[in-house]
mmCIF file of all heavy atoms in Angstrom:
data_model
loop_
_atom_site.group_PDB
_atom_site.id
_atom_site.type_symbol
_atom_site.label_atom_id
_atom_site.label_comp_id
_atom_site.label_asym_id
_atom_site.label_seq_id
_atom_site.Cartn_x
_atom_site.Cartn_y
_atom_site.Cartn_z
ATOM 1 N N SER A 24 258.664 143.267 173.338
ATOM 2 C CA SER A 24 257.621 142.392 172.786
ATOM 3 C C SER A 24 256.809 141.660 173.824
ATOM 4 O O SER A 24 255.687 141.235 173.581
ATOM 5 C CB SER A 24 258.267 141.370 171.820
ATOM 6 O OG SER A 24 259.257 140.599 172.487
ATOM 7 N N SER A 25 257.339 141.525 175.078
ATOM 8 C CA SER A 25 256.632 140.704 176.038
ATOM 9 C C SER A 25 255.262 141.271 176.441
ATOM 10 O O SER A 25 254.366 140.478 176.779
ATOM 11 C CB SER A 25 257.496 140.423 177.287
ATOM 12 O OG SER A 25 257.887 141.622 177.886
ATOM 13 N N PRO A 26 255.007 142.592 176.426
ATOM 14 C CA PRO A 26 253.642 143.063 176.725
ATOM 15 C C PRO A 26 252.587 142.506 175.792
ATOM 16 O O PRO A 26 251.457 142.182 176.215
ATOM 17 C CB PRO A 26 253.750 144.585 176.604
ATOM 18 C CG PRO A 26 255.188 144.885 176.903
ATOM 19 C CD PRO A 26 255.943 143.736 176.300
ATOM 20 N N GLU A 27 252.965 142.321 174.520
ATOM 21 C CA GLU A 27 252.007 141.757 173.551
ATOM 22 C C GLU A 27 251.761 140.277 173.889
ATOM 23 O O GLU A 27 250.599 139.789 173.827
ATOM 24 C CB GLU A 27 252.601 141.869 172.140
ATOM 25 C CG GLU A 27 251.649 141.399 171.059
ATOM 26 C CD GLU A 27 252.318 141.321 169.684
ATOM 27 O OE1 GLU A 27 253.463 141.792 169.554
ATOM 28 O OE2 GLU A 27 251.671 140.789 168.780
ATOM 29 N N LEU A 28 252.809 139.579 174.265
ATOM 30 C CA LEU A 28 252.661 138.184 174.677
ATOM 31 C C LEU A 28 251.787 138.085 175.893
ATOM 32 O O LEU A 28 250.885 137.241 175.987
ATOM 33 C CB LEU A 28 254.052 137.592 174.961
ATOM 34 C CG LEU A 28 254.078 136.187 175.575
ATOM 35 C CD1 LEU A 28 253.398 135.177 174.687
ATOM 36 C CD2 LEU A 28 255.524 135.764 175.898
ATOM 37 N N ARG A 29 252.009 138.991 176.867
ATOM 38 C CA ARG A 29 251.220 138.973 178.083
ATOM 39 C C ARG A 29 249.739 139.189 177.781
ATOM 40 O O ARG A 29 248.847 138.498 178.312
ATOM 41 C CB ARG A 29 251.709 140.082 179.029
ATOM 42 C CG ARG A 29 250.999 140.099 180.349
ATOM 43 C CD ARG A 29 251.499 141.236 181.245
ATOM 44 N NE ARG A 29 250.896 141.162 182.534
ATOM 45 C CZ ARG A 29 249.658 141.610 182.837
ATOM 46 N NH1 ARG A 29 248.915 142.166 181.852
ATOM 47 N NH2 ARG A 29 249.164 141.504 184.035
ATOM 48 N N GLU A 30 249.464 140.113 176.879
ATOM 49 C CA GLU A 30 248.089 140.401 176.533
ATOM 50 C C GLU A 30 247.408 139.192 175.877
ATOM 51 O O GLU A 30 246.255 138.839 176.247
ATOM 52 C CB GLU A 30 248.081 141.571 175.530
ATOM 53 C CG GLU A 30 246.717 142.221 175.343
ATOM 54 C CD GLU A 30 246.830 143.413 174.384
ATOM 55 O OE1 GLU A 30 247.813 144.191 174.478
ATOM 56 O OE2 GLU A 30 245.919 143.544 173.560
ATOM 57 N N GLU A 31 248.099 138.511 175.015
ATOM 58 C CA GLU A 31 247.532 137.303 174.352
ATOM 59 C C GLU A 31 247.316 136.195 175.383
ATOM 60 O O GLU A 31 246.300 135.507 175.355
ATOM 61 C CB GLU A 31 248.473 136.795 173.242
ATOM 62 C CG GLU A 31 248.602 137.734 172.067
ATOM 63 C CD GLU A 31 247.375 137.744 171.163
ATOM 64 O OE1 GLU A 31 246.442 136.959 171.400
ATOM 65 O OE2 GLU A 31 247.318 138.579 170.234
ATOM 66 N N MET A 32 248.294 136.052 176.277
ATOM 67 C CA MET A 32 248.139 134.999 177.293
ATOM 68 C C MET A 32 246.963 135.316 178.216
ATOM 69 O O MET A 32 246.183 134.407 178.607
ATOM 70 C CB MET A 32 249.430 134.862 178.103
ATOM 71 C CG MET A 32 250.496 134.076 177.381
ATOM 72 S SD MET A 32 251.936 133.700 178.390
ATOM 73 C CE MET A 32 251.201 132.727 179.679
ATOM 74 N N MET A 33 246.850 136.563 178.613
ATOM 75 C CA MET A 33 245.768 136.936 179.537
ATOM 76 C C MET A 33 244.376 136.744 178.890
ATOM 77 O O MET A 33 243.423 136.396 179.555
ATOM 78 C CB MET A 33 245.938 138.390 179.994
ATOM 79 C CG MET A 33 247.097 138.574 180.932
ATOM 80 S SD MET A 33 247.046 137.518 182.385
ATOM 81 C CE MET A 33 248.778 137.380 182.815
ATOM 82 N N THR A 34 244.299 136.924 177.566
ATOM 83 C CA THR A 34 243.035 136.660 176.862
ATOM 84 C C THR A 34 242.635 135.204 176.993
ATOM 85 O O THR A 34 241.473 134.870 177.271
ATOM 86 C CB THR A 34 243.176 137.034 175.392
ATOM 87 O OG1 THR A 34 243.524 138.415 175.290
ATOM 88 C CG2 THR A 34 241.889 136.807 174.630
ATOM 89 N N LEU A 35 243.609 134.305 176.872
ATOM 90 C CA LEU A 35 243.355 132.867 177.043
ATOM 91 C C LEU A 35 243.040 132.530 178.515
ATOM 92 O O LEU A 35 242.116 131.739 178.780
ATOM 93 C CB LEU A 35 244.548 132.036 176.573
ATOM 94 C CG LEU A 35 244.919 132.174 175.088
ATOM 95 C CD1 LEU A 35 246.173 131.402 174.812
ATOM 96 C CD2 LEU A 35 243.807 131.691 174.196
ATOM 97 N N ILE A 36 243.773 133.158 179.407
ATOM 98 C CA ILE A 36 243.587 132.896 180.837
ATOM 99 C C ILE A 36 242.200 133.331 181.311
ATOM 100 O O ILE A 36 241.561 132.656 182.080
ATOM 101 C CB ILE A 36 244.753 133.520 181.608
ATOM 102 C CG1 ILE A 36 246.040 132.721 181.378
ATOM 103 C CG2 ILE A 36 244.416 133.623 183.127
ATOM 104 C CD1 ILE A 36 247.284 133.383 181.907
ATOM 105 N N LYS A 37 241.779 134.463 180.794
ATOM 106 C CA LYS A 37 240.415 134.954 181.199
ATOM 107 C C LYS A 37 239.347 133.950 180.789
ATOM 108 O O LYS A 37 238.302 133.887 181.457
ATOM 109 C CB LYS A 37 240.163 136.310 180.566
ATOM 110 C CG LYS A 37 240.805 137.481 181.319
ATOM 111 C CD LYS A 37 240.539 138.772 180.637
ATOM 112 C CE LYS A 37 241.386 139.883 181.254
ATOM 113 N NZ LYS A 37 241.467 141.076 180.384
ATOM 114 N N GLN A 38 239.623 133.232 179.714
ATOM 115 C CA GLN A 38 238.645 132.204 179.300
ATOM 116 C C GLN A 38 238.853 130.892 180.010
ATOM 117 O O GLN A 38 238.189 129.909 179.745
ATOM 118 C CB GLN A 38 238.748 132.010 177.783
ATOM 119 C CG GLN A 38 238.454 133.269 176.962
ATOM 120 C CD GLN A 38 238.865 133.040 175.487
ATOM 121 O OE1 GLN A 38 238.331 132.184 174.814
ATOM 122 N NE2 GLN A 38 239.826 133.827 175.004
ATOM 123 N N LYS A 39 239.831 130.894 180.922
ATOM 124 C CA LYS A 39 240.188 129.713 181.720
ATOM 125 C C LYS A 39 240.475 128.499 180.804
ATOM 126 O O LYS A 39 240.081 127.372 181.067
ATOM 127 C CB LYS A 39 239.111 129.378 182.732
ATOM 128 C CG LYS A 39 238.976 130.484 183.777
ATOM 129 C CD LYS A 39 238.176 130.061 184.968
ATOM 130 C CE LYS A 39 238.159 131.168 186.026
ATOM 131 N NZ LYS A 39 237.385 130.852 187.186
ATOM 132 N N ILE A 40 241.150 128.775 179.682
ATOM 133 C CA ILE A 40 241.542 127.703 178.774
ATOM 134 C C ILE A 40 242.694 126.912 179.403
ATOM 135 O O ILE A 40 243.636 127.487 179.904
ATOM 136 C CB ILE A 40 241.926 128.285 177.418
ATOM 137 C CG1 ILE A 40 240.699 128.826 176.734
ATOM 138 C CG2 ILE A 40 242.600 127.212 176.548
ATOM 139 C CD1 ILE A 40 240.969 129.606 175.426
ATOM 140 N N SER A 41 242.559 125.609 179.398
ATOM 141 C CA SER A 41 243.622 124.750 179.924
ATOM 142 C C SER A 41 243.521 123.346 179.307
ATOM 143 O O SER A 41 242.395 122.879 179.125
ATOM 144 C CB SER A 41 243.520 124.659 181.454
ATOM 145 O OG SER A 41 244.507 123.823 181.978
ATOM 146 N N PRO A 42 244.623 122.729 178.995
ATOM 147 C CA PRO A 42 245.969 123.297 179.099
ATOM 148 C C PRO A 42 246.261 124.265 177.933
ATOM 149 O O PRO A 42 245.555 124.240 176.931
ATOM 150 C CB PRO A 42 246.861 122.059 178.964
ATOM 151 C CG PRO A 42 246.057 121.134 178.093
ATOM 152 C CD PRO A 42 244.609 121.378 178.458
ATOM 153 N N VAL A 43 247.283 125.056 178.138
ATOM 154 C CA VAL A 43 247.774 125.904 177.069
ATOM 155 C C VAL A 43 249.207 125.426 176.766
ATOM 156 O O VAL A 43 250.030 125.302 177.678
ATOM 157 C CB VAL A 43 247.786 127.419 177.447
ATOM 158 C CG1 VAL A 43 248.502 128.232 176.385
ATOM 159 C CG2 VAL A 43 246.375 127.951 177.667
ATOM 160 N N PHE A 44 249.462 125.149 175.512
ATOM 161 C CA PHE A 44 250.780 124.728 175.094
ATOM 162 C C PHE A 44 251.495 125.949 174.498
ATOM 163 O O PHE A 44 250.929 126.710 173.721
ATOM 164 C CB PHE A 44 250.705 123.621 174.024
ATOM 165 C CG PHE A 44 250.207 122.328 174.570
ATOM 166 C CD1 PHE A 44 248.861 122.066 174.682
ATOM 167 C CD2 PHE A 44 251.132 121.371 175.022
ATOM 168 C CE1 PHE A 44 248.406 120.849 175.203
ATOM 169 C CE2 PHE A 44 250.684 120.144 175.537
ATOM 170 C CZ PHE A 44 249.328 119.895 175.608
ATOM 171 N N VAL A 45 252.761 126.101 174.867
ATOM 172 C CA VAL A 45 253.565 127.177 174.339
ATOM 173 C C VAL A 45 254.694 126.546 173.529
ATOM 174 O O VAL A 45 255.544 125.835 174.112
ATOM 175 C CB VAL A 45 254.134 128.087 175.422
ATOM 176 C CG1 VAL A 45 254.939 129.214 174.798
ATOM 177 C CG2 VAL A 45 253.006 128.651 176.300
ATOM 178 N N ASN A 46 254.684 126.783 172.234
ATOM 179 C CA ASN A 46 255.736 126.217 171.355
ATOM 180 C C ASN A 46 256.842 127.273 171.148
ATOM 181 O O ASN A 46 256.596 128.331 170.569
ATOM 182 C CB ASN A 46 255.114 125.833 170.011
ATOM 183 C CG ASN A 46 256.108 125.105 169.108
ATOM 184 O OD1 ASN A 46 257.298 125.154 169.366
ATOM 185 N ND2 ASN A 46 255.608 124.427 168.092
ATOM 186 N N LEU A 47 258.016 126.955 171.672
ATOM 187 C CA LEU A 47 259.141 127.934 171.599
ATOM 188 C C LEU A 47 260.177 127.577 170.510
ATOM 189 O O LEU A 47 261.264 128.121 170.487
ATOM 190 C CB LEU A 47 259.830 128.034 172.954
ATOM 191 C CG LEU A 47 258.992 128.502 174.130
ATOM 192 C CD1 LEU A 47 259.869 128.541 175.406
ATOM 193 C CD2 LEU A 47 258.431 129.894 173.866
ATOM 194 N N LYS A 48 259.763 126.658 169.628
ATOM 195 C CA LYS A 48 260.734 126.152 168.639
ATOM 196 C C LYS A 48 261.482 127.242 167.898
ATOM 197 O O LYS A 48 262.685 127.163 167.649
ATOM 198 C CB LYS A 48 260.002 125.237 167.641
ATOM 199 C CG LYS A 48 260.934 124.608 166.603
ATOM 200 C CD LYS A 48 260.244 123.520 165.836
ATOM 201 C CE LYS A 48 259.197 124.059 164.854
ATOM 202 N NZ LYS A 48 259.756 124.643 163.605
ATOM 203 N N ASP A 49 260.770 128.310 167.501
ATOM 204 C CA ASP A 49 261.380 129.331 166.691
ATOM 205 C C ASP A 49 261.718 130.609 167.462
ATOM 206 O O ASP A 49 261.926 131.682 166.880
ATOM 207 C CB ASP A 49 260.430 129.659 165.498
ATOM 208 C CG ASP A 49 260.241 128.484 164.580
ATOM 209 O OD1 ASP A 49 261.264 127.795 164.314
ATOM 210 O OD2 ASP A 49 259.086 128.226 164.162
ATOM 211 N N VAL A 50 261.820 130.466 168.746
ATOM 212 C CA VAL A 50 262.251 131.619 169.603
ATOM 213 C C VAL A 50 263.757 131.655 169.660
ATOM 214 O O VAL A 50 264.415 130.665 169.970
ATOM 215 C CB VAL A 50 261.631 131.523 170.998
ATOM 216 C CG1 VAL A 50 262.240 132.567 171.939
ATOM 217 C CG2 VAL A 50 260.114 131.705 170.940
ATOM 218 N N THR A 51 264.298 132.801 169.337
ATOM 219 C CA THR A 51 265.769 132.906 169.271
ATOM 220 C C THR A 51 266.347 133.640 170.491
ATOM 221 O O THR A 51 267.556 133.630 170.696
ATOM 222 C CB THR A 51 266.185 133.699 168.005
ATOM 223 O OG1 THR A 51 265.471 134.948 168.018
ATOM 224 C CG2 THR A 51 265.812 132.929 166.754
ATOM 225 N N TYR A 52 265.462 134.237 171.305
ATOM 226 C CA TYR A 52 265.966 135.021 172.416
ATOM 227 C C TYR A 52 264.860 135.246 173.429
ATOM 228 O O TYR A 52 263.695 135.452 173.043
ATOM 229 C CB TYR A 52 266.459 136.400 171.923
ATOM 230 C CG TYR A 52 266.970 137.301 173.021
ATOM 231 C CD1 TYR A 52 268.288 137.170 173.485
ATOM 232 C CD2 TYR A 52 266.164 138.275 173.592
ATOM 233 C CE1 TYR A 52 268.759 137.994 174.531
ATOM 234 C CE2 TYR A 52 266.635 139.093 174.608
ATOM 235 C CZ TYR A 52 267.937 138.935 175.044
ATOM 236 O OH TYR A 52 268.422 139.740 176.056
ATOM 237 N N ILE A 53 265.186 135.151 174.705
ATOM 238 C CA ILE A 53 264.206 135.511 175.742
ATOM 239 C C ILE A 53 264.959 136.193 176.881
ATOM 240 O O ILE A 53 266.045 135.799 177.241
ATOM 241 C CB ILE A 53 263.445 134.257 176.215
ATOM 242 C CG1 ILE A 53 262.284 134.692 177.135
ATOM 243 C CG2 ILE A 53 264.340 133.252 176.934
ATOM 244 C CD1 ILE A 53 261.265 133.596 177.388
ATOM 245 N N ASP A 54 264.353 137.254 177.429
ATOM 246 C CA ASP A 54 264.974 137.926 178.550
ATOM 247 C C ASP A 54 264.073 137.738 179.782
ATOM 248 O O ASP A 54 263.102 136.970 179.770
ATOM 249 C CB ASP A 54 265.207 139.404 178.246
ATOM 250 C CG ASP A 54 263.923 140.220 178.234
ATOM 251 O OD1 ASP A 54 262.830 139.628 178.346
ATOM 252 O OD2 ASP A 54 264.023 141.473 178.112
ATOM 253 N N SER A 55 264.414 138.406 180.879
ATOM 254 C CA SER A 55 263.672 138.172 182.135
ATOM 255 C C SER A 55 262.231 138.642 182.057
ATOM 256 O O SER A 55 261.369 138.115 182.768
ATOM 257 C CB SER A 55 264.409 138.853 183.303
ATOM 258 O OG SER A 55 264.363 140.264 183.150
ATOM 259 N N SER A 56 261.950 139.610 181.171
ATOM 260 C CA SER A 56 260.541 140.061 181.073
ATOM 261 C C SER A 56 259.690 138.955 180.412
ATOM 262 O O SER A 56 258.523 138.778 180.781
ATOM 263 C CB SER A 56 260.453 141.347 180.272
ATOM 264 O OG SER A 56 260.750 141.138 178.915
#
Side-chain angles (χ1 to χ4, degrees):
Chain A
S24 58
S25 60
E27 184 189 353
L28 172 61
R29 184 181 184 280
E30 196 177 318
E31 294 286 354
M32 282 188 60
M33 290 305 155
T34 300
L35 298 175
I36 287 170
K37 279 178 190 163
Q38 300 170 61
K39 296 194 175 178
I40 291 172
S41 179
V43 172
F44 290 86
V45 181
N46 186 344
L47 297 181
K48 182 168 72 76
D49 296 319
V50 170
T51 54
Y52 179 82
I53 189 166
D54 73 354
S55 66
S56 69

